[in-house]
Structures are given as structure tokens and as C-alpha cells.
Amino acid sequence: MTGPAESTPRGDAADEVAGHPADRFGGWRARRIARPGARACALAGYLVAAFALTLPVWSSPATKWPGFPSDPMAYMEYLGWYPFAIAHGLNPLLNTYVNLPHGTNMMWDTTFPFASVALWPVTALFGVIVSYNVAIVGALALDGWCTFLWLRRHVRQPLAAWIGGLLMVLGPYAATRAHGHMGLLLFFAVPLLFIATERVLVDPRHSHLRWGVAIGALAAIQLLCWEETLALFVICVGGALVIAGLFFPRAVRGRLIPLAKTLGVALVVFVVIAGVPLGYQFFGPVRIVGSIQAPNTYVTDLVNLIVPGGGAALQPQFAATLAGRWTGGFMEADAYIGIPLILVSVYTVIRWRHDRWLRVVALAAAAALVWSLGAFLHIDGITHHLLPLPGRLLAHLPVLDNILPARFDLFVDLGLAAIIAIFVDRAALAGKWFGRLAAGFAFLLVCVTLAPSMPISAYTTDTPQYFLPGGDIGTLHQGTIALVVPYGDSLLTMDPMLWQAESGFRVRMVAGALYTAGPNGSAMFGGSLWPAGSTFDCVMQLLQAGMSTTPCTADPVGAARTELNQLGVKVILMGPMAYGEQPALQKPVEDYLDQVAGGPPRSDEGALVWNYDGEPAQS
């Protein structure tokens, strides 16, 4: 998303701005840096917008969060795990408190150690749910603010830059992800990387050491916030540099050596900060080999560009019907642009086509959109295999085959934020009154069509008192191995992840809804791996889904005891039962566990507790 541009489009004196000669590159001059007062006001505005989007949770931030269950429960576990592991002298990159006996390599589950450590004081004082809510609001505000800082260098009016940043707070990408993909909101380092990269390109006298350290540190922070976003950044910026080279090859060639020197410093800094986590990911235990997610699923459906997903305020019934056909699901259907913004973007790029920075940004955003379509074109939920796309390249590259194409939409939205900022700056806030009026009306249409459904509804947890601070789980020895039910080996049973984090990681759980490596290194989800082909896992999945245990084994009780004994289980804990949206499944599971434990449980502060002695079941 970086590249040179022309600050004074021909025939438009209103676009002229002052710039230092050292900032000139290919006809572009970096513009103004936001003043401290403007920066503070911008950040305050984004905080207000983020609070407004998540308003319902703040009536009880310790028991509510925005959006859905499932994924947020795992993110809360991440927020608690890193502080707990560091404070207790454990390896934070290997979570041995889930998925026994081998645990989970946390770098393969795209966790966010930087944010977890940064929010440590909030987690320690108020708990993981409050910390998660603070993370959502903080990430949204920082995303908008850092985008504002980037755009302010390219527009005259602070309001124009602020509006561009607001698109990254309330636009389709962010507003949809706020329902449950908190980690994907941690992209505030990306606009700052844009600023640093542009500075290196436009200023031949830049300090290689200073800007190299900045780029390396920001890249490492992004890696430790959400690794996938850094990979997307590298792909998109690399493409933008190629586009810039096509526009003015001599200017780019003249910057290659200074750029290489700066990137050399950046690489050293990056390795110093992020080398250990990366090394652990690719050479440490429980590392995953191959792709994690199913290919050609989490992609942008072409229809989504003009039909809003579920996160939009204006989603008529026909749009909801269409969205139900897309393969990526609710939180990956964030590619909506809308006809008004498409028309405004086309007008802006054509009207100010001599602005090379704008041209590079627009083409880079278009390239990101193509990447987001995946390996094959999806139209209305139908995959057209006769229309291969560049995304096939990523699907065949090691590590990069784990990128979900739909997440390139972040860089599409960043490009649109830049375009809308230019439009507001040069059309809505400049020129003659009738031009401003027409531009204002067009901008209003864009706002109406892009408006998110807000506030996001809150989900309320019903964690039993047993698992909360001061609850009776504290009577167990730290690190006691427990079977926690519902059996959290899938997206449908994530509650134990939250309970474990809220209890301060008092117990180590047999299962856990995190990715881990199977016997051959292939990606597997949750506790269905250990031991491989687990009969107990099979039985629990069938029971929780309301089915018979017969297909698993003729002796489900004996098989369960054998496996639980191998894992060293000492206690069985059951909280409120659910399996997805099916609540009435507790009785068959409870009856089965009675047989496994050799007796009935005791009721303790909203939980059922079986002491498990590991002895053979009584006949």
C-alpha cells in the first residue's frame, strides 16, 4: 500500500501543498504530520466510536462481550495464558494446560502474545472477560488512529484523514470482525509500517538505522499480535512496490540500495525480537506441518462486493439469503464495498489520476481484492473451477498456504480509506459550493450503505461460581489434571476454555479448543488426538450431539477409564451443558460419567464434581 505520488495534480491549484525538497520522490511529496491536538482529538473520536459499537457489554463488562460465543472464549484463554505462564515460570509458547499430554504450540494457533502481555494488568485486576472487552475497544481505536496518522500525511484537512480512519473502525472489515475475531483487529502496526516504508522511499537522506529499527520493531509487534496479518502486509506492500516500479522505474531503481540497507537493519531488529517465537513455531515441539484450514473456503464471494453481509445495518432479506450461500461464514463475509463507494472510488482515481500515490494505493487495493477471491472465483456460493485466480499460488506455497484469502479484505479497506480521505479532502471540503454539495451527498450515500449494525449485541456468560475466583476449584492442587465437560474439542464446546482462564488455570484439561499437531504433524483441532483414535473422544462427541455411543466401542466405560488413566486424570468437572445451540444434553453425558467415575457426582457451586481415582470400575 505504499508508493510515490504526485502532490500537485495538474490543473488543480487547490491541491498544492508545501513540502520539503527531501521528501520529493517521483513527483510526490509527503504532506503534513498531524499536530498533537489533532492526534488527541482523533484518538478520542475513535474511542467514542469503539465504545458505541460495543455499548451493551459495558453494563456488565465482567460477564458480557460483543458478538458470539466460541472464538472469543479461546481468545480470553490466550489473554490469560501468557501472563499465567510467565508468572509461573512456564514456557508461554507451549501450552501444556490443554490437549494433554503434548499440549499446543501457541504460535500455530495465531495467538497474540504482545496484546496478552500488554493487557496483563487489566487481566490481573478485572479478569479475562474485561480484558477482552478492553482489547476490542483499544484495538479498534488504535487501528483508526494509526490509519489517521498515515492518511494525514496525504491530505490537507484533518477531518478527511479522520474520516478515512473511521472506516477502519466502523467499516465492514472491523465491524464484522468485532463479533468474534478480536485478534484480526490488532493491525494498528500496519499503517505505521506504511508511514515508515513511505519515508524510506521518499527521503534519500533518511537514517537507515532509525527507520530500519522502526520497521523491524513494528513488524515484530505485528507478528506477535497476529502473524497472518504480517504475511498479508508483506504480500501487499511487495505488490505495491512492483506497481510503483512500473510507473517510474528510474526513481525506484535509485532507491533500491538505500531501501536494501534499511531493510537489512529491519531484518536484524525483527530477528532479535521475534526470532525465538518464530524458531519455536517452526522447530519447536507440537509443530504443525501442512495447511490448517480447508482450502478454497474462506474466500471473498464476488457477490459480497455489492451485497452486504450480516454485519451491515442495511441488510434486506434477499441480502441475508444470498449471504447464507457464501462459503466463509458470517465473520469472513466482510468484503462489502457497495455501489456508492465503488462509484466514488472510480471517480476519485480518475479525477486525480495524476496523483501517483493515489494510483499506487488504488491499484494495490485492487490487487488485494483479487488475492481475497482465493484460488477460484466464487459467485453466489458457487465455485467456478474454470476460472483460476492468482490465489492458487499461495495455496501451493509452504506456510503461506495457511493464509485465509478473505483476510486480504483488510488491505482493500485500507486502500478504500485512503481513497475516501482524498475524495473528502479534495471534493467535499474544497472547490465551489455546488461541487462540495454533490460530493457531500455522494459521501452521505457511502456512509448510509456502509453503516454497521450497531451496537453489537452482547453475549452473556453463565460461568458457574465453582470456576470463578474464590470458587471451590481453588481447593484443587495447582495443575490438577481434569476432564472438563462439555468436552471442549470443537468450536461447539469452547466454554471450558473460558472457565479455565477465569479459574486462574487451576487445572490442566484433557482437551482444549486449540489447534495442535497430530501424530504425523497434520493440523488437528482439540483433544481428539491424544491418544490418536481416542475411543473416549468418539463417545463424548456422539453423546454431546445427542447420539448413541454404540458406533465407537462395545465397552465405552472401560475404554474411557483406560484413556483417562493414561492421562493422569484426577477429577471430572461438568458445567452447564451445551453443544452449539442444543442445550438439553446433560443427562446422557452425566449418566455416562457416573459409570466412568464409579458413582454419582456432588453438586458444588453450579458445577458437578466427580473425584476420579483411576481404579477399575465396580461391576
Side-chain angles (χ1 to χ4, degrees):
M1 302 295 295
T2 61
E6 192 173 297
S7 66
T8 57
R10 298 173 188 173
D12 196 343
D15 289 336
E16 294 182 1
V17 294
H20 193 281
D23 290 335
R24 293 174 185 164
F25 175 49
W28 173 71
R29 293 177 292 185
R31 302 193 177 189
R32 301 171 183 175
I33 300 174
R35 296 177 180 177
R39 293 198 296 266
C41 290
L43 180 58
Y46 296 134
L47 281 170
V48 170
F51 273 112
L53 187 65
T54 61
L55 188 61
V57 309
W58 298 106
S59 62
S60 181
T63 61
K64 298 179 179 180
W65 63 83
F68 306 131
S70 65
D71 283 357
M73 294 177 174
Y75 292 148
M76 293 171 201
E77 200 268 356
Y78 304 159
L79 288 168
W81 167 252
Y82 286 99
F84 170 80
I86 294 170
H88 289 79
L90 303 175
N91 179 359
L93 299 178
L94 179 63
N95 189 340
T96 56
Y97 271 58
V98 294
N99 294 336
L100 300 182
H102 298 281
T104 289
N105 186 323
M106 297 295 277
M107 289 301 294
W108 276 107
D109 214 86
T110 52
T111 56
F112 30 82
F114 179 85
S116 299
V117 173
L119 289 167
W120 188 341
V122 179
T123 304
L125 290 173
F126 305 106
V128 292
I129 299 180
V130 174
S131 186
Y132 177 84
N133 290 326
V134 170
I136 290 282
V137 170
L140 288 170
L142 284 175
D143 294 339
W145 189 60
C146 293
T147 303
F148 165 81
L149 296 179
W150 170 50
L151 297 178
R152 185 65 186 95
R153 301 170 65 86
H154 301 284
V155 297
R156 293 183 308 274
Q157 302 293 336
L159 179 60
W162 188 84
I163 289 172
L166 189 64
L167 181 63
M168 302 314 300
V169 179
L170 300 179
Y173 179 89
T176 302
R177 300 295 180 180
H179 285 78
H181 279 170
M182 186 273 283
L184 288 167
L185 295 177
L186 296 170
F187 62 84
F188 57 87
V190 170
L192 300 181
L193 282 166
F194 288 165
I195 294 173
T197 307
E198 288 176 353
R199 182 66 181 181
V200 169
L201 287 173
V202 303
D203 186 359
R205 298 177 299 181
H206 75 270
S207 168
H208 302 305
L209 179 61
R210 175 186 175 188
W211 291 102
V213 169
I215 292 173
L218 288 169
I221 289 172
Q222 184 57 67
L223 176 93
L224 297 176
C225 282
W226 196 264
E227 184 176 3
E228 184 180 23
T229 301
L230 179 62
L232 299 174
F233 167 82
V234 172
I235 294 170
C236 290
V237 170
L241 291 174
V242 171
I243 293 170
L246 294 176
F247 279 150
F248 26 84
R250 286 191 298 177
V252 171
R253 282 199 300 268
R255 295 297 188 272
L256 289 179
I257 293 179
L259 178 62
K261 291 179 180 179
T262 304
L263 292 181
V265 174
L267 181 61
V268 171
V269 174
F270 177 78
V271 170
V272 168
I273 299 175
V276 171
L278 275 179
Y280 201 85
Q281 177 176 3
F282 294 109
F283 303 104
V286 204
R287 59 186 178 273
I288 293 175
V289 177
S291 180
I292 293 178
Q293 299 281 7
N296 205 38
T297 299
Y298 299 100
V299 301
T300 292
D301 193 293
L302 200 63
V303 176
N304 192 194
L305 300 182
I306 57 174
V307 175
L314 297 179
Q315 191 198 38
Q317 184 57 45
F318 82 90
T321 301
L322 291 175
R325 302 172 187 168
W326 305 335
T327 60
F330 178 91
M331 283 184 286
E332 303 294 343
D334 57 2
Y336 180 61
I337 300 174
I339 294 176
L341 181 53
I342 292 174
L343 295 177
V344 165
S345 299
V346 171
Y347 168 81
T348 303
V349 174
I350 293 176
R351 170 65 181 82
W352 290 283
R353 58 189 175 277
H354 298 297
D355 187 325
R356 294 178 177 176
W357 177 82
L358 175 61
R359 248 189 294 170
V360 170
V361 167
L363 289 174
L369 176 58
V370 173
W371 284 116
S372 77
L373 298 175
F376 298 95
L377 191 62
H378 285 231
I379 303 176
D380 195 22
I382 300 174
T383 304
H384 295 266
H385 293 282
L386 296 178
L387 296 173
L389 297 169
R392 294 189 67 185
L393 298 175
L394 298 182
H396 293 90
L397 292 176
V399 182
L400 295 182
D401 60 354
N402 285 301
I403 289 177
L404 300 188
R407 295 175 181 177
F408 277 101
D409 291 333
L410 165 63
F411 292 86
V412 177
D413 276 16
L414 283 166
L416 292 173
I419 292 171
I420 203 69
I422 293 292
F423 175 77
V424 171
D425 186 58
R426 299 180 184 178
L429 299 178
K432 297 180 179 180
W433 70 268
F434 58 87
R436 293 200 303 271
L437 184 62
F441 179 74
F443 176 68
L444 180 61
L445 285 178
V446 169
C447 292
V448 170
T449 54
L450 286 184
S453 177
M454 59 185 300
I456 299 173
S457 60
Y459 178 84
T460 304
T461 181
D462 57 351
T463 302
Q465 179 61 40
Y466 180 85
F467 294 100
L468 296 176
D472 284 350
I473 197 172
T475 61
L476 300 177
H477 293 295
Q478 178 67 50
T480 296
I481 298 177
L483 167 65
V484 184
V485 181
Y487 189 65
D489 66 341
S490 77
L491 292 171
L492 300 174
T493 54
M494 288 228 181
D495 300 78
M497 304 286 289
L498 172 60
W499 300 343
Q500 184 190 46
E502 288 188 292
S503 73
F505 294 87
R506 194 69 185 178
V507 298
R508 299 172 64 195
M509 300 195 307
V510 170
L514 288 86
Y515 283 103
T516 188
N520 299 318
S522 58
M524 301 292 286
F525 193 74
S528 59
L529 313 180
W530 310 110
S534 165
T535 300
F536 175 72
D537 180 81
C538 174
V539 171
M540 288 299 294
Q541 289 195 50
L542 291 179
L543 283 174
Q544 291 180 145
M547 301 168 64
S548 169
T549 66
T550 304
C552 299
T553 177
D555 183 17
V557 174
R561 294 187 68 86
T562 298
E563 295 182 17
L564 296 181
N565 292 347
Q566 290 175 348
L567 294 172
V569 171
K570 298 300 181 184
V571 65
I572 301 175
L573 307 173
M574 176 187 281
M577 280 292 297
Y579 194 73
E581 297 181 355
Q582 304 178 49
L585 300 169
Q586 180 160 335
K587 189 62 168 65
V589 176
E590 184 179 341
D591 291 343
Y592 173 59
L593 294 177
D594 284 346
Q595 298 177 61
V596 172
R602 72 176 189 273
S603 181
D604 192 343
E605 297 182 320
L608 298 180
V609 181
W610 289 266
N611 292 322
Y612 183 75
D613 56 17
E615 296 297 325
Q618 300 296 320
S619 57

